[in-house]
Amino acid sequence: MNASTEPTNGQVIIGLNAVIVAIIEEQPKVLVVQHTSETLTAQHETLTERTALPHDNRHEALPFGPFYPLKHRTLEAGLRSWVEEQTDHDIGYVEQLYTFGNEGRDPREEAGGARLVSVGYLALVQDTGPTAIENAVWQDWYRFFPWEDWRDGTPTILESDIIPALRKWIEDAQNNDEQKDRYERTCITFGLDDTPWNDELVLERYELLYEASLVAERQDSLSEGEISDHRGTAMALDHRRILATAIGRLRGKIKYRPVVFELMPPTFTLLQLQKVVEALSGSLVHKQNFRRLIEKKGLVEATGKIESQTGGRPANQFRFRREVLMERQALGVRQN
């Protein structure tokens, strides 16, 4: 940033972003709000003179808004207020995710606006009923990261497109040291050349693709009228990066804390629970090992009721044992 584009007021605006996750028909969904450039600018309005975002596309954004210290008693209270206003949803489980404050994450900063520092939150909900807000919609999170879903085997986009493109990026390094560094980072993040795939490195994979100029971060960086390319859908500002952070966090957390039950109905079958874990992790689990693990940790108890499953035998219904939270520390679904 040169002197002519430095913020003239030295101000910092605090924003609040929500990654709201639900499971709908065995798919992990995230609640997004669709904005035009005009409404997006108004929502992220700084205290300096307003500057418009480029293009008049529909921008897919996470629910967000500024923190007003005279109006919001806490950051979380402000977040809940913005979510209810923009999505007509009342969120339950919420945890603070990360603080995003890199230079240039809002293009208006380059035009002399204030620095935007956003506090991201992860929310898990079960209520996915229709909303009165027309532009608030549930989207499959693999729509934004198609290379992260391994439930049907290695994603086609990895073998046919992303890995060849990354190998080309490695070859194009300016010297041997840079080439080695690129190769090692690609091995770690994308499981190159028999390196194990780590499902938690969602943000690291996305950042590597962005560094290699293989994905677009902001929708306003695409040609007018475009909202995505074949490597997934871009989002407003850096919301795709915030979403990647949330997915990685949740994938890690379900392995050591029972947060997965925040996404489950009051009663469920073990198969339904398994499908939710697979949807979040993007990978299949061994059925019998998974059930033994759930039983060993005492996470659920039978209700005594039976559910008739379409195309299969009737299955026992279970509920989450919340008292187990007071009994143990390691309560996740890690199988190794």
Side-chain angles (χ1 to χ4, degrees):
M1 181 180 294
N2 57 45
S4 63
T5 58
E6 288 181 357
T8 57
N9 49 32
Q11 291 179 325
V12 172
I13 304 300
I14 298 177
L16 304 168
N17 292 73
V19 179
I20 305 172
V21 176
I23 300 295
I24 303 175
E25 297 179 352
E26 300 181 357
Q27 297 299 324
K29 303 282 186 173
V30 60
L31 192 57
V32 302
V33 181
Q34 297 176 334
H35 292 275
T36 64
S37 295
E38 180 179 349
T39 60
L40 183 64
T41 299
Q43 195 63 28
H44 252 204
E45 183 179 9
T46 66
L47 298 180
T48 60
E49 181 179 357
R50 184 184 297 182
T51 53
L53 288 168
H55 305 318
D56 194 29
N57 297 341
R58 299 293 292 184
H59 297 265
E60 291 193 307
L62 300 170
F64 71 99
F67 172 67
Y68 294 136
L70 298 182
K71 177 181 178 182
H72 301 142
R73 186 175 60 86
T74 64
L75 293 173
E76 185 176 314
L79 178 87
R80 291 179 181 274
S81 176
W82 282 119
V83 168
E84 183 175 358
E85 177 179 326
Q86 294 177 17
T87 71
D88 196 33
H89 273 271
D90 181 23
I91 54 178
Y93 176 91
V94 175
E95 69 171 77
Q96 195 170 122
L97 181 64
Y98 192 75
T99 300
F100 302 85
N102 288 351
E103 182 181 46
R105 54 186 299 268
D106 187 321
R108 285 155 294 178
E109 182 184 340
E110 300 174 4
R115 172 71 66 86
L116 179 65
V117 175
S118 293
V119 182
Y121 286 83
L122 172 64
L124 307 179
V125 301
Q126 298 173 20
D127 179 16
T128 59
T131 173
I133 310 298
E134 182 179 353
N135 65 336
V137 296
W138 292 99
Q139 298 284 13
D140 189 328
W141 76 21
Y142 294 122
R143 178 169 174 261
F144 304 99
F145 308 99
W147 54 87
E148 292 290 342
D149 189 0
W150 287 65
R151 287 174 293 175
D152 292 324
T154 304
T156 301
I157 192 174
L158 274 179
E159 296 182 332
S160 65
D161 177 66
I162 290 178
I163 295 303
L166 285 172
R167 289 193 185 277
K168 178 66 167 56
W169 175 67
I170 293 169
E171 293 174 1
D172 289 343
Q174 295 184 356
N175 54 60
N176 289 337
D177 288 341
E178 183 180 22
Q179 189 175 79
K180 180 180 178 182
D181 176 70
R182 289 184 177 185
Y183 176 73
E184 289 178 348
R185 287 189 291 138
T186 304
C187 285
I188 292 170
T189 53
F190 280 91
L192 203 63
D193 295 338
D194 297 325
T195 306
W197 175 273
N198 185 336
D199 64 353
E200 297 178 34
L201 301 182
V202 184
L203 176 62
E204 290 81 356
R205 280 188 283 274
Y206 172 72
E207 288 183 330
L208 190 72
L209 292 176
Y210 180 73
E211 179 185 342
S213 300
L214 296 178
V215 294
E217 177 156 82
R218 298 201 310 241
Q219 285 181 343
D220 57 45
S221 66
L222 297 169
S223 300
E224 189 166 359
E226 293 182 328
I227 63 169
S228 64
D229 59 31
H230 64 285
R231 298 190 184 108
T233 302
M235 301 185 77
L237 305 176
D238 62 347
H239 291 195
R240 195 179 186 187
R241 187 178 299 264
I242 297 174
L243 176 56
T245 305
I247 295 173
R249 167 74 67 84
L250 186 53
R251 284 182 169 183
K253 194 152 191 173
I254 63 174
K255 296 173 183 176
Y256 65 90
R257 296 296 296 168
V259 294
V260 64
F261 294 100
E262 301 293 340
L263 296 165
M264 302 299 299
T267 62
F268 48 84
T269 68
L270 292 183
L271 180 60
Q272 289 170 336
L273 178 61
Q274 177 183 331
K275 292 295 185 181
V276 169
V277 171
E278 291 175 339
L280 296 175
S281 66
S283 59
L284 300 180
V285 301
H286 187 279
K287 179 178 178 180
Q288 296 305 322
N289 289 349
F290 177 78
R291 296 192 175 197
R292 279 195 291 268
L293 174 71
I294 297 300
E295 180 180 352
K296 177 181 178 182
K297 294 194 173 184
L299 295 174
V300 300
E301 62 183 1
T303 66
K305 297 181 179 180
I306 302 294
E307 177 177 312
S308 297
Q309 297 177 320
T310 303
R313 294 181 300 176
N316 292 322
Q317 288 189 342
F318 293 83
R319 65 167 64 94
F320 173 51
R321 292 184 61 245
R322 289 203 172 271
E323 56 268 31
V324 79
L325 295 172
M326 304 296 295
E327 300 171 359
R328 305 181 189 177
Q329 294 298 316
L331 297 169
V333 293
R334 184 186 296 274
Q335 297 195 75
N336 49 36

